[in-house]
Amino acid sequence: MMFKHLPKSDRLTTNCLGKVFSKTVATYKYFWFLSILQIHAKTDNPRINVWDIVIRMVANAWYPIHYFRLSFGKSDSLFDIVMELQEITQIPIDANAGSIIEALTDRLEDRQIQRLLRTLTLNVPYRFLRPWIDTGDNREMVRRSQVFENGCLYSLYKEIGDFYIILNPNWNEYLHNHFNILVDFAYWNLTLFLQVRNPNVPAIPNKLIRPEVRNALTKQHNYWNMVMNIGGPIHCIYTDKELHPSDYELDHFIPWSFVSHDLLWNLIPSDGSINSSKSNKLPDLDFYLPKLASLQHHSLCLILNAHKEPKVMEDFISLGYTPRELADMSDERFRELYERTFNPMSQIALNMGFETWKYQ
């Protein structure tokens, strides 16, 4: 659950903290705040190096940019920085945050990497404090922050070769006690910001954080095993290889990195060799969608005619019909439904930069 509002405090200027994301035109502030929270949660040291914060900003933005291909908007240079850093470092697009932080920290002396990261230090450390200290002069912001004017969250110190913040000790307990709510508050606002810039992209909240563990798809495997046990082996829609119960892999027809769900109507048994080549690419709809629709329709008919109806079949209701209504459709009408469902998704994904794939 994401929280829209911050916990109140009689001692702290939480009203100012609540305003940090107003009039935001780029993602910097969201990732800046999230990174401070994450670093603070791991240490009681109020001093935090700005380089450490901006490296973590990149790590936090890495997965939604590279894996889910979310747009951050035209005026957001963080997107370009993260893309360029991946080209320079060749860090995998699905790397976890710890690996990204370690790799960038180890190469911080690299002038190209320094140049890109330095861009993130130019404005956001100062502008984040504007709700507390109303000035556009960075030097004045530094000076006034150092007396924690209006109870601001941190003070700024910029010296030759050293740039760091010191968290206001009055905020220490609040940040620790409400860490989860504050993270949710940041992600709630980031979700609203990104939804406007990705209006047709599903499940934005699920695309902001790299999941540590993906679902096991046990219920979906059981469904397809049941199909094969009732009707015999089926053929992979990609390779035409014969598939038997428990001797196949489940493939997200439209990649999981776009749909962010495991609904049954988008899952299909496939030859085990497919996942490595198809990866998160889009299958050629002209070639594969009729095969997908035919196999899905066939499976529904088999299961229902055998008087079985496992609970996972409720996934089909999200297409607007009950499993029985779908099974009773003609093959042509069922295929048309799949075309109306998959064609728009595929086009949006193509617009986001997903590549088309066909088995060779």
Side-chain angles (χ1 to χ4, degrees):
M1 177 180 179
M2 292 188 177
F3 288 84
K4 305 178 188 180
H5 306 292
L6 293 172
K8 300 294 184 183
S9 170
D10 295 332
R11 297 174 49 246
L12 303 171
T13 48
T14 53
N15 61 317
C16 292
L17 182 60
K19 295 176 183 177
V20 295
F21 300 132
S22 61
K23 300 179 181 179
T24 302
V25 296
T27 60
Y28 315 121
K29 288 182 183 178
Y30 307 109
F31 288 110
W32 173 261
F33 185 45
L34 284 166
S35 299
I36 289 174
L37 288 172
Q38 291 163 351
I39 294 171
H40 176 259
K42 297 179 183 229
T43 176
D44 287 326
N45 188 351
R47 174 172 168 158
I48 305 176
N49 192 303
V50 167
W51 287 109
D52 291 338
I53 301 174
V54 296
I55 286 173
R56 189 170 283 270
M57 287 174 67
V58 169
N60 283 325
W62 193 271
Y63 209 66
I65 288 174
H66 285 302
Y67 192 77
F68 290 116
R69 302 171 187 262
L70 293 181
S71 170
F72 279 19
K74 293 182 179 179
S75 61
D76 197 310
S77 60
L78 177 58
F79 183 96
D80 297 327
I81 289 168
V82 171
M83 293 293 287
E84 195 168 342
L85 282 170
Q86 199 279 327
E87 290 183 15
I88 294 169
T89 62
Q90 292 298 299
I91 298 170
I93 65 170
D94 60 348
N96 61 41
S99 300
I100 298 164
I101 292 168
E102 182 179 359
L104 292 177
T105 302
D106 289 346
R107 295 184 58 178
L108 195 51
E109 298 303 316
D110 185 307
R111 289 189 177 182
Q112 279 185 294
I113 293 174
Q114 265 196 26
R115 173 183 59 81
L116 291 167
L117 292 175
R118 185 175 288 110
T119 304
L120 299 175
T121 72
L122 299 179
N123 295 308
V124 67
Y126 312 96
R127 291 180 181 174
F128 188 87
L129 294 179
R130 287 288 293 273
W132 289 277
I133 305 171
D134 188 15
T135 178
D137 185 311
N138 288 351
R139 290 186 180 182
E140 185 179 350
M141 181 67 78
V142 168
R143 179 180 61 79
R144 291 166 65 177
S145 74
Q146 290 176 1
V147 295
F148 294 124
E149 184 173 313
N150 293 320
C152 61
L153 184 65
Y154 57 79
S155 56
L156 286 158
Y157 292 84
K158 190 170 185 181
E159 303 158 4
I160 296 176
D162 205 5
F163 192 11
Y164 59 93
I165 68 170
I166 294 182
L167 291 170
N168 185 336
N170 292 333
W171 284 90
N172 186 63
E173 184 177 356
Y174 181 90
L175 295 181
H176 275 306
N177 290 347
H178 302 298
F179 171 78
N180 289 330
I181 295 176
L182 294 171
V183 168
D184 282 349
F185 173 72
Y187 275 122
W188 168 265
N189 283 277
L190 178 58
T191 296
L192 298 179
F193 179 89
L194 292 177
Q195 191 67 73
V196 172
R197 288 149 184 83
N198 300 268
N200 297 311
V201 176
I204 293 287
N206 297 336
K207 296 180 176 179
L208 301 181
I209 304 173
R210 181 183 186 274
E212 295 303 318
V213 180
R214 289 271 296 276
N215 294 332
L217 304 180
T218 302
K219 293 181 293 184
Q220 294 88 338
H221 272 286
N222 290 341
Y223 170 85
W224 283 106
N225 286 343
M226 187 182 300
V227 170
M228 295 178 205
N229 285 327
I230 294 171
I234 63 177
H235 287 263
C236 174
I237 66 171
Y238 306 119
T239 67
D240 202 38
K241 179 181 177 181
E242 192 171 86
L243 306 176
H244 299 266
S246 301
D247 187 22
Y248 60 88
E249 293 185 5
L250 281 178
D251 170 66
H252 291 78
F253 186 76
I254 299 295
W256 182 87
S257 54
F258 178 78
V259 296
S260 291
H261 66 62
D262 301 316
L263 295 177
L264 191 58
W265 49 263
N266 187 53
L267 284 167
I268 198 76
S270 68
D271 180 351
S273 66
I274 289 301
N275 274 350
S276 59
S277 61
K278 180 172 178 281
S279 186
N280 65 340
K281 298 182 177 70
L282 292 163
D284 184 328
L285 292 197
D286 290 339
F287 192 75
Y288 294 117
L289 187 56
K291 297 183 179 183
L292 172 72
S294 177
L295 185 53
Q296 288 280 15
H297 195 208
H298 173 70
S299 72
L300 279 168
C301 294
L302 273 178
I303 293 287
L304 292 174
N305 289 339
H307 306 292
K308 308 283 187 182
E309 194 164 354
K311 189 172 178 61
V312 70
M313 289 178 69
E314 293 177 0
D315 287 357
F316 284 100
I317 295 174
S318 60
L319 295 178
Y321 299 89
T322 67
R324 172 51 66 187
E325 289 171 336
L326 291 169
D328 289 342
M329 289 181 181
S330 67
D331 288 340
E332 182 180 2
R333 188 179 173 206
F334 188 91
R335 186 178 66 252
E336 288 173 352
L337 171 64
Y338 260 51
E339 289 172 352
R340 292 198 305 272
T341 302
F342 284 87
N343 283 336
M345 286 195 296
S346 180
Q347 187 57 57
I348 294 166
L350 284 170
N351 294 343
M352 293 172 65
F354 283 82
E355 297 175 15
T356 303
W357 172 89
K358 191 173 182 180
Y359 179 71
Q360 300 298 327

